[in-house]
Amino acid sequence: MSETPTTQQTPEELRREIERTRRELGETVDALSHKADVKQRVSDNPMPLVAVAGGVVAMWLLLRIVRRR
């Protein structure tokens, strides 16, 4: 956040600051939207999902082997 200026800002300076703040806010919203879109993130990088699925299968197989004994 910007600090309160000690001098009066001109209307043009205020407009530029408002525009910069809007741009930064838009970038933040875009980043948060991307982070919340789990389906898109998995399609971008499926390896963590593959690793979890492999771990689940390995645990299932281990339990089946242990129960047979």
Side-chain angles (χ1 to χ4, degrees):
M1 298 207 137
S2 63
E3 297 179 15
T4 305
T6 55
T7 61
Q8 281 291 86
Q9 290 181 308
T10 66
E12 186 57 36
E13 290 172 332
L14 288 171
R15 285 186 196 97
R16 281 196 302 265
E17 185 175 344
I18 289 169
E19 199 53 44
R20 181 182 52 80
T21 302
R22 283 183 181 156
R23 187 175 51 254
E24 290 173 355
L25 181 58
E27 292 169 359
T28 301
V29 168
D30 287 344
L32 289 173
S33 296
H34 178 71
K35 199 168 201 173
D37 189 356
V38 176
K39 190 174 184 180
Q40 181 63 41
R41 290 179 67 198
V42 168
S43 68
D44 289 347
N45 185 8
M47 291 313 293
L49 182 62
V50 170
V52 168
V56 168
V57 169
M59 288 299 294
W60 179 77
L61 288 172
L62 182 62
L63 287 173
R64 297 252 337 200
I65 292 170
V66 169
R67 285 187 174 180
R68 286 188 180 184
R69 291 185 180 187

